[in-house]
Amino acid sequence: MVSVNIGLVHYVLDHIYGTLLHRTKLGTPFFSKGWGGTKLDLLESMVKQLFPEAQCQNWPPPAVHPMWKTIWETQNSCLREGVFRTTCHEQLIDALPPESHNARVAFLTPKCVTPEKMACVVHLAGTGDHTFERRLRLGGPLLKHNIATMVLESPYYGQRRPSMQRGSKLQCVSDLLLLGKATIDEARSLLYWLQNEAGYGKMGICGLSMGGVHAAMVGSLHPTPIATLPFLAPHSAVVPFCEGIYKYATAWDALREDATAWKALREDAEAITRNVTSIAEDTAQKTGITIEQVRDRLRSVLSLTDVTRFPVPKNPQAVIFVGATDDGYIPRHSVMELQKAWPGSEVRWVTGGHVSSFFLHNDAFRKAIVDALDRL
């Protein structure tokens, strides 16, 4: 009889899935239009404002006033969808594509319990999660625990996706930071609305993969204790894009060409200010940019998403990380970096890989949500 290492099978499945999706080059890669120019400069400066030295700024967040419509209701529950203008800073709204200016949420609630006796968890999107459906399926069974589910559609996804973007493949590096910053701002405003307008007694924030990184940031920055639940999440976007499978889906040549052109423009401007007599002669002396330099630059930019640089949440006992034992996208050490940075938090492990865990371990994710809320 042949013995099969199930963990290895899950790990290999992640890589097969990644190969079919990313290495075949059949689709558009990430960042095919480069870095994002001045948008990236703006985003780098604004994302830095999220870090600990500025953690008390920008609270309370801008208010949201969703326009609701009922999608369906039963005797015991109700699903509504709401729309509101993104709560980003005006500079960021100008940088976002027009399709992303209005945020959309789905709100699944029990009907027979008042909000102050309930909890509500805001669910953030992972990479490629363009609809409400998967997260509503995760949250639906929580109704029996008197836990409502609010699902936020991310910028660049679903109905907020730019017309020129193919699938989930963001066109510029700046788009990734814009998506994250806007998601964080909108989630913080929704949590404020849930507490101060809707009157919920307990609140939480959760997400899978990329959504888990954003959930960790939101939970870290919230001024009062909330349940924080990053599932299958790395400690930084550096991990999937510079070390993991997404590095095969990144347009490194396009990033190098864009970086070279951007560098040349800056050097030309500097040459003019120095009154150089021959810009052409100065340009001839310019050296090219290597792929390795491009990787270092991307690593530096994405280090802004390093959750270990964020403050410890107000109640770290209500933070539960869930990692997969054989994750081909997110290595174990990355999950442990999160727990190490937030003493008192808990890490739970599910058996499987990144992709399989999305489908096989919803019960484990739900139990983590219930347990974290019970600790508030």
Side-chain angles (χ1 to χ4, degrees):
M1 181 178 290
V2 178
S3 176
V4 178
N5 185 327
I6 299 298
L8 179 61
V9 170
H10 285 294
Y11 185 83
V12 170
L13 284 175
D14 276 351
H15 281 269
I16 291 174
Y17 180 81
T19 295
L20 293 175
L21 201 64
H22 306 311
R23 295 199 200 189
T24 55
K25 309 298 183 183
L26 294 177
T28 303
F30 284 104
F31 317 138
S32 59
K33 293 191 176 180
W35 297 91
T38 55
K39 286 185 183 181
L40 183 59
D41 295 336
L42 171 66
L43 263 294
E44 286 186 278
S45 65
M46 297 196 78
V47 171
K48 287 176 182 176
Q49 296 174 17
L50 290 173
F51 288 153
E53 58 266 28
Q55 63 179 292
C56 296
Q57 295 180 16
N58 304 317
W59 192 266
V64 294
H65 304 286
M67 297 179 59
W68 297 103
K69 68 175 181 179
T70 299
I71 304 302
W72 56 257
E73 60 182 320
T74 67
Q75 184 177 354
N76 299 315
S77 61
C78 176
L79 176 65
R80 293 179 291 163
E81 288 187 7
V83 179
F84 61 92
R85 182 170 172 80
T86 182
T87 54
C88 287
H89 189 279
E90 285 299 323
Q91 284 181 292
L92 292 187
I93 293 177
D94 292 339
L96 282 169
E99 296 91 339
S100 293
H101 288 184
N102 288 327
R104 296 176 63 240
V105 290
F107 197 15
L108 179 63
T109 59
K111 291 180 66 175
C112 303
V113 185
T114 57
E116 64 269 15
K117 296 181 180 179
M118 281 195 293
C120 184
V121 176
V122 178
H123 294 243
L124 304 182
T127 301
D129 192 355
H130 286 265
T131 68
F132 297 138
E133 183 180 352
R134 192 206 62 75
R135 286 170 284 164
L136 287 174
R137 287 203 307 271
L138 176 62
L142 295 173
L143 291 174
K144 64 185 178 184
H145 297 280
N146 292 330
I147 299 172
T149 291
M150 178 172 280
V151 179
L152 173 64
E153 182 179 66
S154 289
Y156 295 91
Y157 277 24
Q159 294 187 25
R160 305 179 73 183
R161 185 177 66 185
S163 59
M164 298 300 291
Q165 178 182 305
R166 296 293 173 262
S168 306
K169 300 298 179 61
L170 304 176
Q171 298 178 82
C172 298
V173 175
S174 59
D175 293 345
L176 184 63
L177 295 185
L178 271 168
L179 185 160
K181 183 64 167 67
T183 296
I184 291 165
D185 288 348
E186 291 165 7
R188 297 183 81 193
S189 290
L190 287 171
L191 287 169
Y192 186 75
W193 180 85
L194 286 168
Q195 183 175 28
N196 292 277
E197 298 292 331
Y200 278 83
K202 294 181 180 181
M203 296 177 302
I205 185 83
C206 83
L208 279 82
S209 196
M210 176 184 72
V213 177
H214 296 153
M217 294 177 179
V218 173
S220 163
L221 296 168
H222 199 75
T224 60
I226 62 172
T228 302
L229 299 134
F231 301 146
L232 309 177
H235 73 281
S236 164
V238 170
V239 174
F241 282 100
C242 298
E243 301 170 9
I245 290 175
Y246 284 162
K247 68 183 179 184
Y248 302 109
T250 298
W252 297 109
D253 288 335
L255 290 174
R256 179 172 61 178
E257 291 170 8
D258 189 35
T260 300
W262 190 246
K263 179 184 176 187
L265 285 172
R266 288 184 173 179
E267 289 178 350
D268 285 347
E270 291 170 2
I272 292 172
T273 61
R274 294 196 308 266
N275 294 317
V276 174
T277 56
S278 174
I279 292 176
E281 180 179 318
D282 188 62
T283 302
Q285 299 174 359
K286 293 170 184 169
T287 58
I289 294 176
T290 67
I291 289 291
E292 194 54 42
Q293 288 174 314
V294 171
R295 293 184 194 277
D296 288 343
R297 170 63 174 145
L298 185 62
R299 185 180 294 273
S300 174
V301 171
L302 296 186
S303 68
L304 294 171
T305 66
D306 188 341
V307 179
T308 65
R309 299 170 61 185
F310 281 66
V312 178
K314 299 301 181 292
N315 183 352
Q317 284 73 33
V319 178
I320 300 178
F321 302 104
V322 178
T325 55
D326 301 282
D327 196 323
Y329 284 73
I330 311 302
R332 180 184 289 259
H333 73 79
S334 185
V335 180
M336 297 309 297
E337 285 288 326
L338 292 166
Q339 198 276 334
K340 181 180 177 182
W342 292 353
S345 61
E346 180 185 352
V347 176
R348 297 180 181 179
W349 297 98
V350 293
T351 301
H354 196 79
V355 176
S356 61
S357 294
F358 271 77
F359 303 101
L360 300 178
H361 294 300
N362 281 336
D363 285 343
F365 299 144
R366 294 184 191 110
K367 187 175 190 313
I369 291 171
V370 173
D371 290 349
L373 287 167
D374 282 344
R375 297 174 186 179
L376 293 177

